[in-house]
Amino acid sequence: MKYNTYKCFTIGQYEKEEKWLNEMSAKGMQLTDVGFCRYTFVKGTPGEYIYRLELLEHMPGSAKSVSYISFLEETGIEQVGSILRWIYLRKKASDGPFELYSDTESKINHYKRILFIADIMSIALLFSFLPNLTRLIFKIIELVKMYGSFDSFFMRQLNPHAGFTIFYFALIAFLQLVVLPIRKSKFKLIKEKTVHE
């Protein structure tokens, strides 16, 4: 029997999501399919599988990704599902430990791929916001010329423009905050790598 569970993880919480999937596996709930904030499980043997998530360099259907996934399958790793470039993988626990990254550099590169997406989205939001920021600046200049001071009427005139500005900056800040754990982990690994070299 299949069980659907709805849970939301941000891009910066993929390790937390991975941990949760492995906790579910330990309870005998084995992942069989994924969707946006949806996980489908079947009842199975507790701890039968170890789960890992990976952000591919290319979409799962691309030639490079298909080749990479085929290589993983040859080593006993099964793809359970995917969401955009994220793939959900599992391996039988009886086959031994399951780690996707055998060295520090490949782990750092995986973090870089995740951060790149968040940074590109932030930059895109910033550029889409620039015309509104320009309008806000011109509105401030216009109101200062008309009223000469920051009185309550001035602030009421400015309020719709300021609210939009705050929304954009809050969205960009949120995108950067959700990947903060990844950014910290990346810098920690880089520091450790530098110390060992």
Side-chain angles (χ1 to χ4, degrees):
M1 186 172 176
K2 293 184 178 182
Y3 302 90
N4 283 327
T5 301
Y6 297 89
K7 201 168 174 77
C8 190
F9 293 95
T10 66
I11 190 172
Q13 295 177 313
Y14 91 93
E15 289 170 325
K16 185 178 178 181
E17 182 178 7
E18 209 175 69
K19 183 181 177 205
W20 175 70
L21 290 172
N22 286 304
E23 287 169 355
M24 293 296 283
S25 176
K27 295 174 186 174
M29 300 302 289
Q30 305 306 331
L31 184 70
T32 59
D33 190 30
V34 291
F36 182 70
C37 298
R38 179 191 50 79
Y39 302 85
T40 303
F41 295 94
V42 294
K43 192 77 174 153
T45 306
E48 183 178 1
Y49 291 100
I50 299 170
Y51 292 88
R52 296 285 177 246
L53 278 68
E54 183 173 10
L55 180 69
L56 297 171
E57 289 183 44
H58 309 280
M59 292 301 281
S62 74
K64 286 185 179 182
S65 293
V66 167
S67 174
Y68 174 66
I69 292 166
S70 294
F71 164 75
L72 292 176
E73 287 171 351
E74 288 169 13
T75 64
I77 298 168
E78 177 187 354
Q79 180 184 342
V80 179
S82 65
I83 300 174
L84 299 174
R85 285 173 40 199
W86 281 103
I87 57 172
Y88 291 72
L89 304 165
R90 71 183 185 182
K91 187 176 181 180
K92 292 264 188 185
S94 58
D95 293 345
F98 175 26
E99 293 300 331
L100 288 170
Y101 312 105
S102 56
D103 62 296
T104 305
E105 191 61 38
S106 58
K107 182 76 169 176
I108 290 169
N109 287 335
H110 187 243
Y111 285 151
K112 283 180 180 177
R113 286 195 299 273
I114 296 167
L115 293 170
F116 179 76
I117 288 175
D119 292 343
I120 287 295
M121 289 174 68
S122 295
I123 290 166
L125 279 170
L126 190 60
F127 275 107
S128 69
F129 167 68
L130 284 177
N132 294 308
L133 182 61
T134 306
R135 281 196 285 277
L136 176 65
I137 291 167
F138 283 123
K139 186 69 174 176
I140 290 171
I141 292 167
E142 176 190 326
L143 290 171
V144 166
K145 283 181 182 176
M146 285 174 64
Y147 302 107
S149 69
F150 289 90
D151 61 11
S152 60
F153 179 74
F154 176 93
M155 293 311 288
R156 282 198 304 274
Q157 293 292 313
L158 192 61
N159 196 34
H161 299 281
F164 198 67
T165 304
I166 291 166
F167 170 76
Y168 259 92
F169 279 116
L171 200 53
I172 292 167
F174 174 75
L175 270 171
Q176 290 303 310
L177 280 172
V178 297
V179 294
L180 193 59
I182 302 293
R183 203 173 295 281
K184 285 179 180 178
S185 296
K186 182 190 99 172
F187 286 126
K188 184 180 174 187
L189 281 177
I190 290 171
K191 189 176 177 181
E192 286 173 9
K193 184 183 168 200
T194 308
V195 168
H196 293 298
E197 289 178 347

